[in-house]
Amino acid sequence: PKQAAYDGAMEILPAATAATLAVVAVFAPVIFMPGITGKFFYQFGVTMSAAVLISLLEAVTITPMRAAALMAMNSKPTRFEEWLDVKFEKLAHLYQGLLKQTLNWSKTVVFVSILLFVASLFLIRGVRQEFLPPQDQNLILLQGQLPPGSSLQATSEVAEKIEEIIKNIPEVEGYLMSIGGGGGVANVNQLFMPINLTPREGRKINHFAVMDKIREGLKPIKNFRASLRDTSSRGLTTGRQFPISMNIMGPDLDVLDEKSKEIMKRLTDEGLAQDMDSDFRKGIPELEIEPLRDRLASRGVSVESVAVTLNAALAGLRVSRYTAGGRRYDIRIKIPEEQVTDRADIQKVSVRNQFGNIVAIGDLVKMDEKGTIQSITRINRQRAIGIFGQLTKGQSQAKVLDRAVEIANEVLPDGYTVGLEGASAGLAESFSGLTIALALGILVAYMVLAVQFNSFIHPISVLMALPFSVTGALLALWMFGVSLNLFSFIGLIVLMGIAKKNSILLVEFTNHMRDKEGKDVVTSLIEACPVRLRPILMTSTATVIAAAPLIFGNSMGQETRTPMGLTIVGGTILSTILTLFVVPAIYKVLSHLESERETSR
């Protein structure tokens, strides 16, 4: 047993080392991804690389010792082991027969497999693409506002109506209402309401259905605009956490306001978005008071006297202080608020002239009530308006954002631009960064394998397994209606590492047969591949079984685990099946390109 364990470890050491280094090569570029999501992938890449390297150390040291100990304890195989050996032997013979037929049509097999991969890329159109899948975290955030200029009392009355609606929804466990927006007088028309739902395990409907219930209940409330969202992308990106979030920029705010409304309307009318809103608040009532200097002069009143009187009457003026109980208190004079409610009341406020006579302010000033702007946002020194909202059910975030940018480019005049931000920008940045990292990982893996095999040809045979893993992943996501998102990409990166291991086993042992026993390419493939069939199937089966629990369940965060699990399971199954036939076929085809030194090994 000791000698057998030692011989087995020595035999598998080159393939195990090559596979491990190739897997680490795929994970390594992810560590250096920039941006906020880069922190997340840094932890992922470091963890996976460390785990794979430690597993190599365990596989060539502890595993042989454990195998020797177990074989020494009971050298006689059990009935189950004998039955399993027979089944694997029959399966190996069946595979060997199919492999002979495959190698006779090697070029056709390679062409068809490439065609299959290219055709599978069209599945991307049928798979929803989004930054993060919406997660039912038992929490819904409701933000709402009344028309600019609405009083705090009016907002409070609407809040009471909303409370009655929320109370009648059985899936709601509790809520907190914040009126006024926490941002001064200009925000008294806004409210914020975190809504806690009952645990998802005890609910018959998901949080999307609860949102629809709330939206339906809010429809009768006039002049109230509401927006509901979950907290799926919290902590993974900066800016607004809405799945649709963009900025339009240009010199004229009126043009930006008009075009933002047009963009929001078109997205809503096309059924792509809902709860659309912008951060531009125009129309807050403001009373502009202009002193009439000829009248002031004729009545002997100064502008300063008018300003001080209005300030004291409306805002309050501190005239003195007094101390009591160790504390100092201000003494302010001010007209009671109920006596100053409109322009006519302000006109009645009196001011004394330099002769001590009382004059009504309405005779001294011109008053004009008009709307004003709450705030002006600038991006790169340009005036900007932010547009944000939610996707309608079943929509792909990537397609909606592409359509939103297309609409913006259509309606915006020359000199005006559009840009994504927040979670929307995170989608483009993370997908672009992950694609580049994945491409670099494959390139580094090729270089590592080229050094390990001392060949530029054999790594190509090994890496042929990767396209099939992508095909299997896309097929699984499409069949189950799951989106391609950040976590799907994680599963794809993991899958890239797993898929190479199987092809490395085939190529390495085929090279061993050619080098040690001097057999030709076809004979070596026919004899070597069936020998490696059992470890390949065992590895793939273990991977599928380990990833299967990610797919099933209804616990918190299940929406993030399902895409990852489906990617790994679907890609592993299809890549394993195709690897067993396509890798030997392309190995045979590429063997004609080997140099004389490689052929004479």
Side-chain angles (χ1 to χ4, degrees):
K2 292 181 181 180
Q3 187 62 40
Y6 174 80
D7 293 341
M10 291 299 101
E11 180 181 346
I12 204 65
L13 180 61
T17 303
T20 301
L21 294 177
V23 172
V24 173
V26 174
F27 294 145
V30 181
I31 300 176
F32 303 101
M33 282 189 62
I36 294 179
T37 53
K39 299 178 182 178
F40 175 78
F41 284 104
Y42 172 80
Q43 297 173 353
F44 164 75
V46 170
T47 302
M48 294 299 296
S49 299
V52 172
L53 290 173
I54 293 175
S55 70
L56 172 64
L57 181 63
E58 191 273 344
V60 298
T61 55
I62 300 177
T63 298
M65 291 188 292
R66 188 186 303 115
L70 292 175
M71 287 188 295
M73 292 173 57
N74 185 14
S75 58
K76 185 178 180 181
T78 63
R79 290 185 178 181
F80 176 74
E81 290 175 330
E82 292 177 349
W83 176 83
L84 201 61
D85 287 338
V86 172
K87 294 299 180 182
F88 267 112
E89 191 68 26
K90 292 182 178 179
L91 187 61
H93 285 299
L94 175 62
Y95 169 59
Q96 191 174 45
L98 294 174
L99 183 61
K100 290 179 181 179
Q101 299 298 324
T102 301
L103 294 177
N104 290 334
W105 299 86
S106 56
K107 294 182 179 179
T108 304
V109 171
V110 173
F111 176 77
V112 171
S113 64
I114 295 175
L115 193 64
L116 175 64
F117 168 68
V118 173
S120 69
L121 295 180
F122 289 95
L123 288 175
I124 296 179
R125 297 182 178 180
V127 177
R128 289 183 293 110
Q129 300 175 47
E130 54 192 356
F131 179 54
L132 289 173
Q135 301 172 50
D136 191 343
Q137 298 179 343
N138 304 332
L139 179 64
I140 296 174
L141 302 180
L142 186 153
Q143 292 176 287
Q145 64 175 0
L146 274 70
S150 300
S151 65
L152 184 61
Q153 179 64 30
T155 307
S156 180
E157 292 174 358
V158 171
E160 292 177 0
K161 296 179 182 179
I162 296 175
E163 283 190 78
E164 292 300 321
I165 295 170
I166 299 299
K167 287 178 181 178
N168 293 326
I169 299 178
E171 290 80 14
V172 173
E173 186 176 61
Y175 59 87
L176 174 67
M177 178 72 75
S178 172
I179 304 172
V185 179
N187 290 325
V188 296
N189 66 321
Q190 300 179 9
L191 59 86
F192 175 69
M193 190 176 187
I195 303 172
N196 289 320
L197 307 180
T198 56
R200 58 182 293 171
E201 294 82 4
R203 277 188 276 119
K204 294 182 180 180
I205 58 176
N206 59 20
H207 70 304
F208 283 121
V210 178
M211 286 183 181
D212 291 337
K213 278 188 176 183
I214 297 174
R215 290 190 183 101
E216 193 65 29
L218 296 178
K219 284 183 178 180
I221 302 178
K222 297 181 179 179
N223 299 323
F224 179 73
R225 180 185 295 175
S227 176
L228 293 98
R229 64 182 177 90
D230 54 34
T231 57
S232 301
S233 58
R234 179 176 55 188
L236 284 178
T237 182
T238 58
R240 297 186 184 93
Q241 307 299 307
F242 292 88
I244 304 174
S245 185
M246 57 193 294
N247 294 309
I248 54 175
M249 295 154 283
D252 193 329
L253 278 175
D254 291 330
V255 174
L256 291 173
D257 184 30
E258 177 188 351
K259 299 305 180 182
S260 66
K261 293 177 180 177
E262 183 177 351
I263 295 171
M264 291 188 290
K265 184 177 184 302
R266 290 183 61 173
L267 287 173
T268 303
D269 292 344
E270 293 181 13
L272 302 175
Q274 58 186 351
D275 298 342
M276 294 299 295
D277 198 359
S278 73
D279 61 1
F280 186 65
R281 301 289 180 259
K282 185 177 182 180
I284 300 173
E286 180 181 72
L287 185 62
E288 186 178 273
I289 301 176
E290 179 183 353
L292 302 175
R293 296 187 180 273
D294 54 342
R295 295 187 183 183
L296 289 170
S298 64
R299 289 169 174 79
V301 181
S302 66
V303 175
E304 182 183 0
S305 297
V306 174
V308 172
T309 302
L310 287 175
N311 182 52
L314 303 179
L317 181 66
R318 189 182 69 189
V319 295
S320 183
R321 292 178 177 175
Y322 75 95
T323 303
R327 299 186 64 183
R328 180 176 293 175
Y329 299 90
D330 291 338
I331 299 176
R332 293 179 177 270
I333 58 172
K334 181 181 181 299
I335 297 177
E337 291 185 2
E338 61 271 11
Q339 295 183 17
V340 186
T341 58
D342 56 21
R343 183 193 302 188
D345 294 332
I346 297 176
Q347 289 176 338
K348 295 177 183 178
V349 176
S350 301
V351 60
R352 289 187 182 274
N353 62 9
Q354 58 185 353
F355 306 108
N357 298 324
I358 296 176
V359 183
I361 285 181
D363 297 333
L364 305 173
V365 299
K366 176 184 176 182
M367 295 185 181
D368 186 16
E369 185 175 344
K370 60 182 182 180
T372 186
I373 300 171
Q374 179 176 341
S375 63
I376 298 177
T377 302
R378 286 182 173 84
I379 298 177
N380 295 330
R381 298 184 179 182
Q382 285 188 307
R383 294 184 175 186
I385 291 180
I387 303 172
F388 49 90
Q390 299 288 338
L391 300 170
T392 53
K393 187 176 181 180
Q395 292 293 337
S396 169
Q397 184 184 12
K399 291 183 179 179
V400 173
L401 291 177
D402 289 342
R403 179 56 181 159
V405 173
E406 181 182 346
I407 293 174
N409 289 328
E410 290 177 5
V411 303
L412 290 176
D414 294 338
Y416 292 78
T417 56
V418 60
L420 301 177
E421 70 107 20
S424 300
L427 170 67
E429 291 175 2
S430 61
F431 274 35
S432 174
L434 284 171
T435 302
I436 294 173
L438 202 57
L440 288 175
I442 294 174
L443 178 62
V444 175
Y446 172 83
M447 292 188 291
V448 170
L449 292 172
V451 173
Q452 290 288 321
F453 288 115
N454 196 25
S455 169
F456 292 107
I457 301 300
H458 297 319
I460 299 177
S461 302
V462 171
L463 297 177
M464 273 298 293
L466 302 186
F468 309 137
S469 61
V470 175
T471 299
L474 291 176
L475 187 62
L477 294 175
W478 174 74
M479 290 177 59
F480 288 90
V482 177
S483 66
L484 179 63
N485 52 61
L486 199 62
F487 296 96
S488 305
F489 250 110
I490 293 176
L492 195 61
I493 294 172
V494 174
L495 185 60
M496 290 295 182
I498 296 172
K500 291 196 301 293
K501 286 189 174 184
N502 294 335
S503 52
I504 288 174
L505 289 174
L506 294 177
V507 172
E508 190 277 333
F509 196 56
T510 301
N511 289 341
H512 175 78
M513 297 286 287
R514 294 175 64 187
D515 292 343
K516 303 300 180 181
E517 301 184 18
K519 298 179 179 179
D520 62 89
V521 173
V522 175
T523 303
S524 297
L525 287 170
I526 293 175
E527 294 184 6
C529 292
V531 174
R532 290 301 189 218
L533 176 65
R534 183 167 182 170
I536 288 175
L537 293 179
M538 291 172 64
T539 302
S540 300
T541 302
T543 301
V544 170
I545 293 175
L550 296 174
I551 301 175
F552 307 103
N554 190 38
S555 58
M556 190 80 72
Q558 184 60 45
E559 296 87 351
T560 63
R561 294 191 290 271
T562 298
M564 189 188 307
L566 282 174
T567 301
I568 296 174
V569 171
T572 299
I573 292 175
L574 187 62
S575 67
T576 299
I577 295 173
L578 294 180
T579 295
L580 291 172
F581 297 98
V582 179
V583 170
I586 197 169
Y587 185 98
K588 177 187 174 184
V589 172
L590 295 179
S591 63
H592 301 291
L593 302 178
E594 294 178 6
S595 62
E596 295 182 1
R597 180 180 57 81
E598 291 178 306
T599 307
S600 60
R601 287 182 309 178

